């Protein structure tokens, strides 16, 4: 049986060792865990059970609200001042809304990646 260190499992899932250790002791049987302290080993059956019980970290998209400073030469983009970012960022506008976004308007912006922003229409509930 191939065993794996608990510290290695914690690195793979990018969570703290203490959190993985707590999950392992609460979920796994005593036969699946060997060693003590930071030298804990998990067998193959325990690894399968642990994979199901470790929560996956899903990053939520960041949504900002900002004022349109001016339009870019390309009509699909504009410059928006966002207070949380402490400056202006380039935002892509959906083609449907290019005529309606004017200077001074407030729009909602979603950050997809680092330095890539897209205008979104907020959902009113």
């Amino acid at each position: 049986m191939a065993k794996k260190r608990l510290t290695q499992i914690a690195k793979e899932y990018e969570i703290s060792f203490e959190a993985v250790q707590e999950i392992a002791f609460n979920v796994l049987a005593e036969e699946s865990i060997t060693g003590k302290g930071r030298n804990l080993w998990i067998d193959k059956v325990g690894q399968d059970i642990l994979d199901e019980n470790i929560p996956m970290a899903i990053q939520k998209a960041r949504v900002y609200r900002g004022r349109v400073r001016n339009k870019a030469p390309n009509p699909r983009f504009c410059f928006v001042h966002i207070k949380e970012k402490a400056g202006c960022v380039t935002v892509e506008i959906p083609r449907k809304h290019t005529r309606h976004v004017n200077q001074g308007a407030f729009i909602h912006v979603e950050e997809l990646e680092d330095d890539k922003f897209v205008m979104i229409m907020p959902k009113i509930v």
Side-chain angles (χ1 to χ4, degrees):
M1 294 186 113
K3 291 186 178 182
K4 206 180 223 185
R5 281 189 113 163
L6 200 60
T7 53
Q8 184 180 1
I9 294 172
K11 277 185 185 175
E12 288 175 5
Y13 285 101
E14 297 176 354
I15 55 177
S16 68
F17 172 78
E18 289 78 18
V20 176
Q21 184 180 15
E22 184 178 332
I23 293 170
F25 282 127
N26 290 336
V27 173
L28 301 178
E30 290 183 18
E31 298 83 35
S32 297
I33 303 172
T34 56
K36 65 178 187 176
R38 292 188 69 89
N39 192 20
L40 289 177
W41 293 83
I42 309 294
D43 65 356
K44 186 67 176 162
V45 176
Q47 289 174 30
D48 295 337
I49 295 171
L50 203 58
D51 287 341
E52 296 171 2
N53 289 303
I54 292 179
M56 296 302 291
I58 300 172
Q59 291 186 348
K60 294 176 85 178
R62 297 273 309 175
V63 177
Y64 302 103
R65 184 171 180 261
R67 181 183 296 261
V68 177
R69 285 294 176 204
N70 55 350
K71 288 193 167 194
N74 184 346
R76 291 279 316 270
F77 293 90
C78 68
F79 298 103
V80 177
H81 183 266
I82 299 174
K83 287 184 180 179
E84 289 88 359
K85 290 285 185 182
C88 288
V89 295
T90 306
V91 177
E92 183 179 351
I93 304 170
R95 189 169 178 178
K96 178 171 137 179
H97 300 289
T98 54
R99 293 184 187 175
H100 307 295
V101 176
N102 295 322
Q103 187 175 356
F106 281 97
I107 62 171
H108 292 270
V109 176
E110 179 180 9
E111 183 177 13
L112 298 178
E113 301 170 5
D114 292 338
D115 301 329
K116 182 163 171 68
F117 296 89
V118 177
M119 178 186 156
I120 60 170
M121 296 303 295
K123 295 179 181 174
I124 301 173
V125 180

